[in-house]
Amino acid sequence: MIAKTLQDMFRRYRRPGDIVFATMFFVFSLFLLSQLGSETQVVKRTKWFAQPALWPTIAIWGMVVFSGLHLLSSFLSPRIPGRLREITFWLKSLEYVVYFLIYVVTVPWLGYLPSTMLFAALLTVRLGFRLPGAFCIALVFGAVVAIVFRALLQVNIPAGRVYEYLPDGLRAFALTYL
């Protein structure tokens, strides 16, 4: 249905966690704005449109203005209950950030192949897949990812300290391809 008035077209529908998101984004935009002077530079005897700081300055000022308008409209919109439930839902995703950080820490110890396979298997269990087939698919996926990145694409990933305990021939292979 086509909106009948301009007010209908631009009506703002607030969500439960909108004010928190708007505040965080506005604060982040102000932080970026505060860093402009030290992270970008203005080069003397260069035209304004060729300055290295031009587009970052335009982008960050745009972020500040639009996030400020978003914050203002969040304050002016009617409040919808459920903010705490929404923020709790957002925070639940940080669990997977912790899992990834644990994975990053284990790679230098166990090596890329075992860590990736272990990570894929643990995430499969965490997501609730308990069938042996799903577990096997996760292990094969982890192995394929590690082998493709390490052996085929030659991505330089630190070898695990565990590889030092392997026999000489196997150690050289593991350090290069696993």
Side-chain angles (χ1 to χ4, degrees):
M1 180 174 162
I2 298 175
K4 295 181 181 178
T5 65
L6 268 147
Q7 287 179 338
D8 289 337
M9 284 178 58
F10 293 103
R11 178 164 288 147
R12 173 109 164 71
Y13 298 100
R14 186 171 171 185
R15 303 285 181 244
D18 194 38
I19 192 81
V20 176
F21 176 79
T23 304
M24 288 173 28
F25 200 76
F26 184 66
V27 168
F28 179 66
S29 300
L30 290 176
F31 167 74
L32 289 178
L33 183 65
S34 73
Q35 301 302 307
L36 266 178
S38 62
E39 296 296 325
T40 59
Q41 58 182 337
V42 176
V43 180
K44 293 179 182 177
R45 294 186 299 275
T46 303
K47 296 183 182 190
W48 69 271
F49 55 83
Q51 291 290 336
L54 176 68
W55 290 111
T57 302
I58 291 171
I60 292 173
W61 271 106
M63 283 177 64
V64 169
V65 168
F66 290 114
S67 64
L69 291 173
H70 183 199
L71 183 61
L72 179 64
S73 69
S74 294
F75 277 122
L76 298 177
S77 298
R79 185 178 186 280
I80 296 174
R83 181 183 306 158
L84 184 61
R85 189 176 71 232
E86 181 76 14
I87 293 169
T88 304
F89 180 74
W90 294 348
L91 293 176
K92 284 181 182 179
S93 65
L94 294 178
E95 171 189 4
Y96 294 95
V97 172
V98 171
Y99 292 150
F100 181 72
L101 291 175
I102 291 170
Y103 167 71
V104 168
V105 169
T106 60
V107 167
W109 290 92
L110 296 179
Y112 187 54
L113 176 65
S115 295
T116 305
M117 290 176 68
L118 182 66
F119 183 67
L122 290 176
L123 280 182
T124 301
V125 172
R126 170 60 187 94
L127 291 173
F129 296 104
R130 303 286 193 266
L131 295 176
F135 192 70
C136 288
I137 289 171
L139 289 175
V140 168
F141 173 78
V144 168
V145 166
I147 290 170
V148 164
F149 272 84
R150 190 72 192 237
L152 298 177
L153 298 176
Q154 295 292 315
V155 175
N156 189 12
I157 299 167
R161 293 192 180 126
V162 170
Y163 294 169
E164 300 297 324
Y165 299 107
L166 295 173
D168 290 336
L170 188 56
R171 182 178 348 143
F173 178 78
L175 289 173
T176 305
Y177 298 109
L178 304 178

